[in-house]
Amino acid sequence: MMPLAATRIVPLSPNVLPIYLCDAARIRYWVQHQRIELLEKKRPNMKEICEKMMGLPHLGNAGSHSGEKVDRKDVIDGFDILERVLHDKYSTHDGELAKMVAQINKRKGPRKAN
């Protein structure tokens, strides 16, 4: 069997970011954080949206890796971020989302009730 050359696996559409790379017979999957950074690099006009999206990997990592308890409110925060980011792409809504994302990004995990 021939070894695989360092090759980018081509996505189905030019508008879709690759999820993984094939490098010397090993597949490296990109985590959400890396895909958001790649999107920001490829599309600088989406920088603000990418900054907001960065809250999602922080919430996911807190629940999956850090052992920190993520409760229902934190999951709802994640859905709120995703919903509002999609809404912001097509409207001018901001304020409240920026505050929530700043709190999550500052803690690199769920925001705490005040």
Side-chain angles (χ1 to χ4, degrees):
M1 179 176 216
M2 283 171 76
L4 297 172
T7 308
R8 177 174 174 239
I9 295 179
V10 180
L12 298 175
S13 160
N15 295 326
V16 176
L17 294 172
I19 295 176
Y20 48 87
L21 292 176
C22 182
D23 179 21
R26 103 175 185 241
I27 295 178
R28 179 180 154 231
Y29 292 90
W30 290 7
V31 296
Q32 185 180 23
H33 182 99
Q34 293 168 316
R35 285 181 277 169
I36 294 169
E37 287 176 339
L38 179 62
L39 177 63
E40 184 176 346
K41 193 179 286 187
K42 288 184 85 163
R43 302 216 177 118
N45 61 323
M46 295 185 72
K47 179 178 173 52
E48 187 175 330
I49 288 175
C50 291
E51 287 173 357
K52 293 174 183 176
M53 291 287 293
M54 222 29 108
L56 296 174
H58 293 316
L59 287 173
N61 289 341
S64 299
H65 306 297
S66 73
E68 186 170 354
K69 185 176 186 297
V70 177
D71 60 21
R72 183 183 177 119
K73 181 186 163 303
D74 301 319
V75 173
I76 299 299
D77 285 348
F79 281 118
D80 283 345
I81 291 170
L82 183 58
E83 177 184 24
R84 291 179 189 182
V85 163
L86 293 173
H87 184 264
D88 286 356
K89 176 76 173 131
Y90 303 102
S91 74
T92 58
H93 173 68
D94 201 7
E96 192 178 323
L97 176 64
K99 181 180 176 183
M100 181 191 326
V101 170
Q103 290 171 346
I104 291 169
N105 287 343
K106 182 178 179 182
R107 291 198 73 247
K108 295 191 184 310
R111 62 189 177 132
K112 296 296 178 197
N114 294 330

